[in-house]
């Protein structure tokens, strides 16, 4: 039986939890709380958020695929626009994001975007990703130390997604800033300052995409933005609003989660000790290592759904229409009923079935690209710098339900 962390209060009769997601111990290691909660049952009511959460792997996997649950807010749950005038630009982007929509609109948008992210298209990027990784390492190798989140984990997915979309590479730092400001909206308890910064970012990001789309219409290329402009599905094209929202979603999602997954994975592998190259001795072992990194310490720990009808999500827990359900991806990946010794890092485990990319119609469209970037990025890093070691303990950001590092300071011997 796992002991209850001191920062967590649990009411066994009501299955309710008081747990501040900003609590430093939880930010650094949510898995102790998950282990305790797994022993209590498959679901709990998280008082701090005000909704029920599923934590068992089978239940989360089922709920992700259940069409009675969805991302699009029911009419009765939509906030009064008059109370959100300071979020008008942010809400406009969200209103046309496929991540927040359900069929039939979601189906149309996804079909238009999906062709660029199928595995065979993504695989063609492998040589470019490999060359980029070597280029980045060459840039800092002689220093003998680096903060790898900024110098390695961030530029890999950022450069690749900007090149795919065909937007100027020099815009990279600005795109990262806009993305960080928008993503901050999804954290627990965002204040008005955070909201206004997110709205300004959405305004400027959208204006940039719209202006750049004008250039691409005049001079189309073989990039994704040109493809989105010209793409048709059953005679329909993306509207201007849909184009801006889709490009912003792809740029944000195309680097934000992968940055943190790369950082978490590097930290995880270093924590295993020994020669890290043993995890990347073949293509199969590399792929297995990446899957275990995705399961062991993923960057996205909660995704919410709304109930569209009365639905029993697990035995004894029935949601009413309009109620919110939290799907705890990080906890599901550490469910002892689904994984043998879940907090042991075991690449190639026979029970590998992580839900880090979701499931169902909202399964992450960029999963093939993220997997490729991780396979190449980790293999090249540890082959080039096998003496890599932590210079200081990794520090996680106070950004739950994202779980990622703020810094990853490493060092190695240069041989000089």
């Amino acid at each position: 039986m796992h002991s209850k962390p001191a920062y967590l209060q649990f009411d066994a009769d009501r299955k309710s939890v008081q747990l501040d997601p900003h609590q430093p111990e939880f930010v650094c290691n949510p898995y102790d709380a998950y282990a305790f909660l797994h022993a209590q049952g498959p679901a709990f009511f998280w008082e701090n958020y005000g909704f029920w959460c599923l934590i068992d792997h089978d239940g989360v996997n089922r709920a992700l695929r259940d069409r009675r649950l969805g991302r699009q807010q029911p009419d009765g749950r939509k906030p009064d626009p008059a109370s959100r005038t300071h979020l008008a630009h942010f809400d406009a982007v969200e209103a046309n994001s496929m991540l927040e929509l359900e069929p039939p609109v979601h189906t149309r948008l996804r079909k238009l975007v999906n062709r660029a992210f199928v595995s065979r298209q993504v695989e063609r990027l492998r040589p470019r990703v490999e060359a980029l990784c070597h280029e980045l390492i060459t840039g800092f190798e002689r220093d003998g130390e680096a903060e790898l989140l900024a110098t390695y984990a961030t530029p890999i997915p950022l450069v690749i997604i900007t090149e795919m979309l065909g937007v100027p590479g020099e815009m990279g730092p600005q795109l990262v800033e806009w993305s960080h400001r928008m993503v901050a909206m999804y954290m627990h308890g965002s204040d008005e300052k955070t909201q206004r910064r997110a709205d300004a970012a959405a305004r400027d990001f959208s204006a940039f995409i719209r202006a750049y789309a004008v250039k691409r219409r005049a001079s189309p290329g073989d990039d994704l933005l040109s493809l989105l402009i010209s793409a048709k599905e059953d005679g329909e094209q993306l509207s201007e609003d849909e184009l801006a929202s889709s490009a912003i979603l792809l740029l944000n999602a195309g680097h934000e989660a992968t940055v943190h997954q790369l950082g978490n994975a590097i930290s995880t592998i270093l924590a295993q000790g020994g020669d890290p190259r043993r995890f990347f001795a073949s293509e199969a072992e590399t792929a297995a290592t990446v899957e275990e990194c995705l399961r062991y310490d993923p960057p996205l720990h909660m995704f919410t759904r709304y109930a569209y009808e009365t639905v029993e999500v697990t035995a004894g827990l029935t949601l009413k229409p309009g109620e919110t359900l939290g799907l705890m991806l990080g906890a599901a990946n550490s469910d002892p009923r689904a994984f043998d010794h879940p907090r042991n890092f075991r690449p190639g485990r026979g029970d590998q079935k992580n839900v880090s990319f979701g499931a169902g119609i909202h399964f992450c469209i960029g999963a093939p690209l993220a997997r490729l970037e991780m396979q190449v990025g980790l293999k090249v890093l540890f082959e080039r710098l096998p003496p890599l070691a932590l210079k200081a303990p990794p520090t996680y950001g106070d950004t739950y339900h994202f779980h990622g590092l703020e810094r990853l300071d490493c060092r190695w011997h240069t041989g000089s």
Side-chain angles (χ1 to χ4, degrees), residues 245-257:
S245 293
S246 296
I248 289 172
L249 173 64
L250 294 174
L251 280 161
N252 287 357
H255 84 275
E256 194 82 39

Side-chain angles (χ1 to χ4, degrees), residues 275-287 289 379 383:
D275 190 336
R277 290 174 293 187
R278 71 187 186 277
F279 295 117
F280 306 96
S282 68
E283 286 186 15
E285 287 170 298
T286 297
T289 296
K379 181 179 175 66
E383 286 184 347

Side-chain angles (χ1 to χ4, degrees), residues 165-168 170-171 207-221 223 225-226 229 240 243:
L165 274 158
V167 300
E170 61 268 22
M171 283 294 295
F208 164 73
I209 293 297
R210 291 170 191 268
Y212 203 72
V214 171
K215 297 179 182 178
R216 273 290 176 259
R217 281 195 173 89
S219 180
D223 54 86
L225 194 58
S226 297
I229 291 168
E240 286 293 309
L243 176 67

Side-chain angles (χ1 to χ4, degrees), residues 149-150 153-159 161-162 169-184 197 201 205 251-252 255-256 259-260:
L149 211 64
T154 295
I156 292 171
L158 180 62
V159 169
I161 195 63
T162 54
E170 61 268 22
M171 283 294 295
Q174 180 63 76
L175 299 177
V176 169
E177 184 189 349
W178 285 335
S179 178
H180 286 343
R181 284 159 58 182
M182 292 182 70
V183 167
R197 282 171 53 81
F205 208 155
L251 280 161
N252 287 357
H255 84 275
E256 194 82 39
V259 168
H260 293 305

